[in-house]
Amino acid sequence: MRAQNRIGAYQLYALFAVSLLSTVFMTANAETPEAGAAETLLFFLPFTGICAVTALPLLLRRRNKYEIGTVAGAWAEISPRLERPVSAAYAAVFLWAAALAGARFVLFLQSQIFRGDGAAGLLPLLFAAAGFAASRELESLGRTAVLFGVATGAATLLLAVAALPDFDASLLPPIWDAAPASVLTCGLEAAVRAPEILTLAVFAPEVAGRIRRGYGVWLACAALLLPVVFLIPAGVTGTFGAIRGYRFYALAGTVKLGQLERAEDALCATWILCAFLKVAFFLLAAHRSICASFSFKRKFLLYYILSASACAAAFVLVRSPSAFEAATGLAPGLSLLFLFAVALPILPAAVKIAARRKKWRRRSP
Amino acid sequence: METPRFTGEPRRDAAMLKKRLGGSADVIFREMLINGAPAAGLYLDGMCDEMRILRAVTGPLTNKNTFTEDGRTAEQIRLFAYKGADMKETDDPEEAAALVTAGHFALLLPGLAGAFLFGAQGYPRMGVEEAKSEQNELGGREGFTDTLKDNLALLRRKLRTPDLAIEQITVGRTCPAAVALCYLPKKTDPGVLEKVRLKLTRCGAETALGSGWLRPFLNGRRPALFPATGVTERPDVLAYKLSVGRIGVLVDGSPFAIIVPYLFTDSFHAPDDYATGTVYAGFVRLLRALCFLTAVALPGLFVAVCDFHPNMLPSDVMFKIASAEAQTPFPLALEAVTIHLIYEAVREAGLRMPKAAGHTVSIVGALVIGDAAVKAGLIAAPMLIIVALTTVCSAVVSNLQDRTVLLRLLLIAAGSAAGFFGVFLGLGLIAVEICAVSPYGVPLSAPLSPYEKKGFGNGLFRRRMQLLARERRTLREEEF
């Protein structure tokens, strides 16, 4: 019998995909470096490789190394004083990520649909709903992610199909050389700018099921969908990397679905599902990291506090877009990712291995 | 206080039983001579068939030829004299009193520190009627009744297999009722069965007047919008569910059987699906799912489009809606909520009032809401069309109707607060809520998520009979 609160590999990948989709759709591409894309790619590829190399074996072996509580626990083994600070740091990072995700969505709405500050009112609604969803635990979020992934994927494909009449293949050749590099760069940048990739590693111990197959399916879907999603806007607009603003939203604005005059609002509305789930996911992660090391019994009160804190942070970010730009810059994103997805989980293990070797050398004649 | 016991003196024991039954006026006490010794009988007036008592119990037992030897009356009754199937013997006055209240005839013999209880139920009950809440066109017509014994017989008739296991327990402290747990041991997951058994035996329900009183105990600890159990009024539906590994809970006094575990997609199934073609049945199931979505989200989406995204609609349509709405004094969301509340009030009145008056209420409601309110400019016609469409759609999936009403109001509020984004946020919450229900290890959202290949074919669609016959599909906890 499967233990409660464990999710299948498909569900984990759906959660990851939904988090990434949310970031990809709502990330403005204004500053995507068209020139120097190859150099950026060269920088990203080894980095992603490191992430994959560290995350995949853990997934395959179901080793309990990356769980937030366990990371803190691993640090506690080295020094008991470190457990709580590590847990608190993880909770703070997840709260920050939740705030960024919420702020990104509202900034997107403000700049494209509501044209003003009205969208900020959506933040309490989003965080209240996300807090409630997070209280339903990981398993239900994973199941929901599969449904949302299908819904968002279908909406995106519908958008791509509806845009096909406007697709002009002759627009592709001039940008063809830069396109593959840009596709990867944009995708990876979107992934790195918020620490979404943490989701894959943090919940690895919770996974049960056919991990290899799930990983294969996830890679296949990404490989098949990404070119469609990236090349169709290029073929329709003719300017792949130089669109200022939100590329997918701009594409949705050119599409006419049947009798509907403008489809972008309806299509974008499906993206809120991804943002909502991502925020819920981060709130759940923050909740767990607190509960792992601090004895906090009142579950709903803690969710309320976490949701309110993340909402307040998101509100500050929305009110000062310069702070948002600074927070979501490449350097902070990379630093956070490196620190929390790679360094903090691996260091205690490295220290332990070093200590064991030292011990072994002392014993050996 | 000392617990009363049987003494072996019929008069005294009968008085003790009568006292335990509250000295009620409907307790009938009879004295008779059995095998030459004075004995006593006791039953509740109206609960027993007196002719049946006479024919099957008192008649043969008072006949001298029944007994072959003097004395040892009790042994002879046990071995030879009474061949009736429903005979129990107990030395516990509590159990004896409970059985008497269930329509048994208690026989008290001299020298026997206990009582014989003969099933002679003859209380008024409803006959087998057509299932009112689950109408169908091509399938069987029988529905469950209020009596557990009749319901078990109806189930046995549909599921003629020696594999059918029925466990009977009594649930309820103040107002107990007999509860039957029905399952096919070869098909049912033992883990799920044990959970159901434990939930029923440990539920501590005060009253068990019907399946509705016990269902919350089977749904799990956490209050959820979507229950983990379903109900059916039809023996053929229950028989089918048992054949695919579900567990049925029948409660005495209720014509509704509880099905455990239950899937969300089961709500879109109907008995007729198996009497029509595969393609048509699949189409109708999909239509029901679509109707549920429409019933839940359409008013909210309408409010969202009109308030936040008017540029989505073609300009001529938008103009017509805007001109109709401009004549009404209320905001769109308030209008939507008001009409829905009025509709629910009319529906409730039509349901609870005597039938003759109910029709009057419907006519008044239709005239006032449908005609006068529009003419007076209080309500716009497009909103009325939306409400009518919503009502029709919610009637298609009748077993989700109560939830549909609440969710619709929630989405209207969300749509008026944040447009499409609010509605989709609400839909997202509903999806999380559905996915969170899994008290028996089988998620309510299966086979959609987690995806289960075999179940998916017969979940939202209907698989071909040939494939269904080959599959032998059951629901097992470890699959999810």
Side-chain angles (χ1 to χ4, degrees):
Chain A
M1 193 187 299
R2 241 188 64 197
Q4 281 292 313
N5 212 10
R6 296 201 64 164
I7 61 174
Y10 292 104
Q11 293 166 10
L12 181 78
Y13 290 118
L15 263 174
F16 182 51
V18 160
S19 296
L20 273 184
L21 279 175
S22 161
T23 314
V24 169
F25 287 135
M26 288 154 211
T27 303
N29 305 113
E31 66 284 346
T32 302
E34 187 63 30
E39 290 82 352
T40 322
L41 186 66
L42 278 176
F43 175 73
F44 274 124
L45 274 180
F47 184 79
T48 319
I50 291 171
C51 286
V53 164
T54 51
L56 189 62
L58 290 168
L59 281 174
L60 293 176
R61 290 175 197 168
R62 296 191 201 171
R63 299 267 302 268
N64 205 20
K65 290 283 180 193
Y66 266 72
E67 196 188 3
I68 23 186
T70 317
V71 173
W75 280 100
E77 279 182 34
I78 294 166
S79 166
R81 285 181 187 175
L82 287 172
E83 185 186 358
R84 287 189 169 187
V86 171
S87 289
Y90 266 90
V93 167
F94 287 126
L95 274 186
W96 183 242
L100 281 181
R104 180 180 285 124
F105 182 69
V106 167
L107 280 172
F108 159 71
L109 288 186
Q110 272 186 7
S111 63
Q112 301 298 313
I113 298 174
F114 290 109
R115 310 276 179 199
D117 292 342
L122 197 62
L123 275 176
L125 208 61
L126 177 68
F127 278 93
F132 178 79
S135 70
R136 295 313 194 208
E137 292 299 328
L138 182 65
E139 206 174 350
S140 59
L141 289 190
R143 286 182 207 138
T144 317
V146 177
L147 298 177
F148 286 6
V150 171
T152 318
T156 312
L157 276 180
L158 182 70
L159 170 67
V161 171
L164 274 180
D166 302 324
F167 185 80
D168 184 2
S170 64
L171 292 172
L172 285 178
I175 57 165
W176 190 250
D177 295 336
S182 297
V183 165
L184 283 168
T185 310
C186 290
L188 291 170
E189 188 191 338
V192 169
R193 280 173 59 163
E196 273 88 348
I197 205 158
L198 280 176
T199 56
L200 187 68
V202 162
F203 287 102
E206 312 279 353
V207 176
R210 298 168 186 171
I211 294 168
R212 285 167 208 267
R213 202 172 153 195
Y215 200 75
V217 169
W218 156 243
L219 280 179
C221 287
L224 287 172
L225 274 176
L226 272 178
V228 177
V229 169
F230 277 90
L231 286 178
I232 286 180
V236 173
T237 57
T239 48
F240 181 75
I243 304 170
R244 293 194 69 78
Y246 300 86
R247 179 188 294 123
F248 295 99
Y249 187 76
L251 178 69
T254 65
V255 170
K256 190 169 184 246
L257 280 177
Q259 288 300 308
L260 295 179
E261 291 289 329
R262 293 170 68 89
E264 67 262 47
D265 290 1
L267 287 169
C268 291
T270 59
W271 300 340
I272 197 177
L273 296 177
C274 300
F276 154 69
L277 207 61
K278 185 164 67 170
V279 173
F281 195 48
F282 284 131
L283 289 177
L284 174 68
H287 184 271
R288 282 206 178 178
S289 60
I290 288 176
C291 290
S293 301
F294 301 90
S295 53
F296 207 98
K297 302 282 180 199
R298 294 185 178 177
K299 181 181 168 187
F300 283 98
L301 179 64
L302 183 56
Y303 271 119
Y304 174 76
I305 293 169
L306 292 175
S307 306
S309 319
C311 183
F315 198 75
V316 171
L317 288 171
V318 168
R319 286 285 169 185
S320 52
S322 56
F324 182 83
E325 287 292 325
T328 57
L330 214 53
L334 275 176
S335 317
L336 274 176
L337 181 63
F338 181 75
L339 185 66
F340 287 94
V342 182
L344 274 178
I346 285 178
L347 262 178
V351 170
K352 264 193 204 171
I353 291 166
R356 212 179 295 149
R357 278 190 180 176
K358 209 173 170 182
K359 211 174 177 181
W360 181 77
R361 273 180 198 161
R362 274 184 198 162
R363 280 184 188 174
S364 61
Chain B
M1 201 176 106
E2 197 185 332
T3 318
R5 310 290 310 167
F6 284 109
T7 57
E9 290 176 40
R11 270 173 173 262
R12 212 166 148 185
D13 290 344
M16 182 264 288
L17 267 185
K18 186 170 181 176
K19 194 180 171 190
R20 179 65 196 86
L21 291 166
S24 306
D26 58 345
V27 177
I28 309 284
F29 172 64
R30 290 270 182 272
E31 282 187 298
M32 63 199 93
L33 272 178
I34 294 179
N35 203 12
L42 185 137
Y43 64 96
L44 288 175
D45 192 17
M47 292 294 288
C48 290
D49 182 349
E50 289 181 352
M51 283 308 292
R52 204 168 147 194
I53 295 174
L54 183 69
R55 204 170 49 241
V57 186
T58 51
L61 291 181
T62 49
N63 188 343
K64 285 178 184 171
N65 299 330
T66 305
F67 299 94
T68 53
E69 52 184 305
D70 292 341
R72 298 177 61 209
T73 311
E75 283 84 351
Q76 290 186 72
I77 288 176
R78 278 183 210 117
L79 294 172
F80 312 110
Y82 185 75
K83 307 279 187 192
D86 195 4
M87 186 190 84
K88 294 185 182 83
E89 189 183 350
T90 180
D91 58 354
D92 180 8
E94 282 298 317
E95 192 186 349
L99 286 167
V100 168
T101 56
H104 282 65
F105 174 81
L107 180 68
L108 305 156
L109 295 174
L112 176 71
F116 284 111
L117 282 308
F118 300 92
Q121 289 90 340
Y123 40 77
R125 54 179 155 183
M126 282 182 74
V128 177
E129 286 183 4
E130 194 171 346
K132 282 175 185 146
S133 63
E134 287 171 90
Q135 298 276 349
N136 75 340
E137 202 179 351
L138 299 170
R141 301 262 184 255
E142 281 175 347
F144 282 128
T145 69
D146 284 357
T147 318
L148 182 64
K149 277 195 172 184
D150 294 347
N151 291 344
L152 291 176
L154 285 171
L155 181 65
R156 283 265 182 215
R157 272 191 56 215
K158 297 284 175 189
L159 206 62
R160 290 179 190 179
T161 165
D163 288 341
L164 175 63
I166 295 171
E167 288 176 26
Q168 197 164 320
I169 47 175
T170 305
V171 179
R173 287 198 297 263
T174 310
C175 195
V179 176
L181 207 63
C182 317
Y183 56 93
L184 295 175
K186 287 179 186 169
K187 302 263 185 175
T188 308
D189 187 336
V192 176
L193 181 65
E194 192 52 36
K195 277 183 191 172
V196 175
R197 205 181 278 139
L198 279 178
K199 281 189 186 215
L200 279 175
T201 49
R202 293 181 184 173
C203 73
E206 194 71 24
T207 311
L209 286 174
S211 54
W213 295 77
L214 293 183
R215 211 174 152 204
F217 294 100
L218 292 170
N219 281 338
R221 281 183 206 163
R222 188 171 60 81
L225 200 56
F226 292 92
T229 58
V231 287
T232 182
E233 203 186 348
R234 302 179 60 91
D236 51 353
V237 172
L238 185 64
Y240 173 68
K241 296 291 179 198
L242 297 191
S243 74
V244 291
R246 313 288 179 91
I247 298 160
V249 179
L250 283 159
V251 184
D252 194 23
S254 172
F256 291 95
I258 305 172
I259 299 166
V260 188
Y262 196 69
L263 304 180
F264 185 63
T265 49
D266 288 347
S267 311
F268 308 126
H269 295 188
D272 266 342
D273 295 349
Y274 295 96
T276 52
T278 308
V279 178
Y280 180 72
F283 162 72
V284 173
R285 280 187 181 176
L286 210 59
L287 184 75
R288 287 187 201 117
L290 210 65
C291 282
F292 171 69
L293 265 182
T294 308
V296 168
L298 186 66
L301 284 174
F302 181 72
V303 170
V305 167
C306 294
D307 280 354
F308 289 88
H309 316 278
N311 52 3
M312 266 190 70
L313 296 174
S315 45
D316 50 341
V317 176
M318 197 59 243
F319 177 73
K320 280 179 186 166
I321 293 174
S323 60
E325 289 298 336
Q327 291 168 5
T328 62
F330 306 115
L332 204 62
L334 185 64
E335 204 179 302
V337 170
T338 311
I339 303 181
H340 275 108
L341 290 180
I342 292 172
Y343 162 71
E344 287 304 322
V346 171
R347 194 177 74 92
E348 194 61 20
L351 207 67
R352 308 280 163 226
M353 285 183 78
K355 272 187 181 173
H359 291 305
T360 318
V361 169
S362 307
I363 293 165
V364 169
L367 281 177
V368 170
I369 300 169
D371 196 35
V374 174
K375 278 184 183 165
L378 293 172
I379 293 165
M383 178 54 83
L384 211 58
I385 295 168
I386 295 290
V387 173
L389 197 59
T390 308
T391 309
V392 171
C393 286
S394 63
V396 172
V397 193
S398 55
N399 49 354
L400 287 174
Q401 200 165 21
D402 47 349
R403 276 127 213 147
T404 311
V405 174
L406 299 175
L407 296 176
R408 194 186 298 150
L409 294 175
L410 172 85
L411 291 190
I412 290 173
S416 68
F420 265 171
F421 302 99
V423 176
F424 274 75
L425 203 59
L427 286 174
L429 263 184
I430 294 168
V432 171
E433 190 63 22
I434 291 171
C435 290
V437 179
S438 174
Y440 297 100
V442 180
L444 186 70
S445 53
L448 306 177
S449 178
Y451 175 71
E452 203 239 335
K453 195 179 168 186
K454 286 178 186 170
F456 187 79
N458 204 39
L460 266 189
F461 305 98
R462 207 209 79 196
R463 300 202 90 175
R464 281 168 51 215
M465 283 297 185
Q466 289 85 343
L467 291 174
L468 279 177
R470 224 180 295 155
E471 261 175 15
R472 310 267 184 271
R473 200 175 70 81
T474 55
L475 274 178
R476 295 210 174 265
E477 201 179 345
E478 61 263 26
E479 286 172 9
F480 297 95

